[in-house]
């Protein structure tokens, strides 16, 4: 069964810290992996998309890495800010041309001043 | 573009009533997805369409759920009859083509069935 696991489930850090969110997947034959942010009561915002042939993607203070062989991805957030507080979801897509995303349960991040 | 539009944003209904959720995808996108999010099960794909044709409906929980996409700019998800366990947030998402698989989500419809 294809499953996606995110650790930790929740994280609370002081402002300014660098932090890492983890995502693991059971089937390494992925097509790509996408990180989303979800604010309370809102929809999902795509942060980064990593193709299976890539090792990492960067956008501003965010860096996502992918290690297919070990079935892992990490989302690195540099110099965290209170505005980064949200739930971060990892989603994996299997099979070229097949557009189904399998989501992890998310990591709920709180950055306090 | 306004992004993916969903209506209503909130729906409260009584058990047994029919519920219809609506979605307008981003113009030009050829894939449309319906998801359900609950605390217990997280985000689950219910069904998705490509060029208005249902491709995979294996996530639809039971026959009470049905989805249609009569044209490229509109889709509905219907629950008839509704039950309290259908209470969840329902998201619609869209994406464009095979060259870019990034999915764009709407704000969701929070459904409460009493």
């Amino acid at each position: 069964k294809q499953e996606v696991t995110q650790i930790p489930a929740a994280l609370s850090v002081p402002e300014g810290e660098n932090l890492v969110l983890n995502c693991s997947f059971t089937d390494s034959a992925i097509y790509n992996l996408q990180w989303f942010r979800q604010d309370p009561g809102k929809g999902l915002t795509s942060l980064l998309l990593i193709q299976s042939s890539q090792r990492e993607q960067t956008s501003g203070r965010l860096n996502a890495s992918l290690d297919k062989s070990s079935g892992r991805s990490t989302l690195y957030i540099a110099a965290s800010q209170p505005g980064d507080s949200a739930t971060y979801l990892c989603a994996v897509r299997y099979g070229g041309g097949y557009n189904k995303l399998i989501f992890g349960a998310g990591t709920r991040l709180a950055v306090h001043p | 573009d306004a992004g993916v539009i969903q209506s209503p944003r909130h729906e409260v209904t009584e058990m047994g009533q029919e519920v219809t959720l609506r979605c307008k995808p981003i113009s030009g996108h050829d894939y449309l997805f319906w998801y359900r999010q609950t605390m217990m099960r997280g985000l689950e794909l219910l069904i998705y369409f490509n060029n208005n044709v249902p491709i995979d409906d294996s996530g639809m929980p039971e026959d009470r759920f049905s989805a249609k996409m009569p044209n490229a700019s509109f889709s509905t998800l219907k629950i008839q009859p509704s039950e309290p366990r259908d209470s969840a947030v329902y998201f619609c998402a869209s994406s464009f083509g095979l060259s870019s698989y990034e999915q764009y989500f709407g704000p969701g419809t929070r459904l409460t069935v009493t």
Side-chain angles (χ1 to χ4, degrees):
Chain A
K1 183 181 177 185
Q2 295 163 336
E3 293 183 344
V4 179
T5 304
Q6 290 188 248
I7 295 173
L11 185 62
S12 180
V13 300
E15 182 177 5
E17 269 203 13
N18 302 324
L19 55 99
V20 175
L21 308 181
N22 297 292
C23 172
S24 61
F25 41 94
T26 53
D27 184 346
S28 62
I30 69 169
Y31 193 78
N32 57 38
L33 183 146
Q34 199 165 353
W35 282 94
F36 292 88
R37 168 184 173 142
Q38 185 175 26
D39 293 283
K42 302 286 181 64
L44 277 68
T45 301
S46 178
L47 298 174
L48 291 163
L49 173 70
I50 310 178
Q51 302 293 347
S52 61
S53 58
Q54 298 175 318
R55 295 300 299 268
E56 64 179 286
Q57 281 283 344
T58 298
S59 175
R61 294 182 294 108
L62 305 179
N63 176 275
S65 67
L66 175 63
D67 184 344
K68 273 182 56 178
S69 60
S70 66
R72 292 187 193 173
S73 176
T74 61
L75 179 67
Y76 176 82
I77 302 177
S80 58
Q81 302 170 359
D84 295 330
S85 299
T87 296
Y88 291 80
L89 293 154
C90 166
V92 172
R93 184 177 285 103
Y94 289 98
Y98 187 59
N99 222 334
K100 181 174 181 175
L101 279 174
I102 299 176
F103 281 84
T107 293
R108 192 169 61 254
L109 173 65
V111 181
H112 48 86
Chain B
D1 199 310
V4 177
I5 299 172
Q6 291 187 247
S7 65
R9 294 294 311 278
H10 301 274
E11 177 80 31
V12 180
T13 190
E14 291 183 351
M15 179 177 172
Q17 296 297 308
E18 177 180 296
V19 174
T20 299
L21 311 181
R22 297 172 177 79
C23 175
K24 176 179 169 55
I26 292 173
S27 177
H29 282 190
D30 55 352
Y31 284 87
L32 182 138
F33 308 82
W34 283 101
Y35 291 90
R36 178 171 68 175
Q37 186 176 41
T38 61
M39 288 294 293
M40 291 296 295
R41 301 173 67 90
L43 257 171
E44 302 174 286
L45 177 66
L46 299 177
I47 184 172
Y48 80 90
F49 296 82
N50 177 217
N51 291 323
N52 313 338
V53 176
I55 302 300
D56 183 352
D57 65 355
S58 59
M60 297 287 259
E62 46 199 279
D63 292 345
R64 298 184 297 106
F65 286 69
S66 62
K68 293 182 180 180
M69 192 165 185
N71 58 62
S73 59
F74 182 66
S75 176
T76 60
L77 177 67
K78 186 176 293 186
I79 308 172
Q80 166 64 18
S82 58
E83 296 182 3
R85 59 193 169 117
D86 301 330
S87 298
V89 181
Y90 291 81
F91 288 103
C92 176
S94 69
S95 69
F96 174 69
L98 292 176
S99 62
S100 170
Y101 289 83
E102 193 165 357
Q103 292 188 17
Y104 296 85
F105 280 70
T109 295
R110 181 173 296 277
L111 173 65
T112 302
V113 183
T114 61

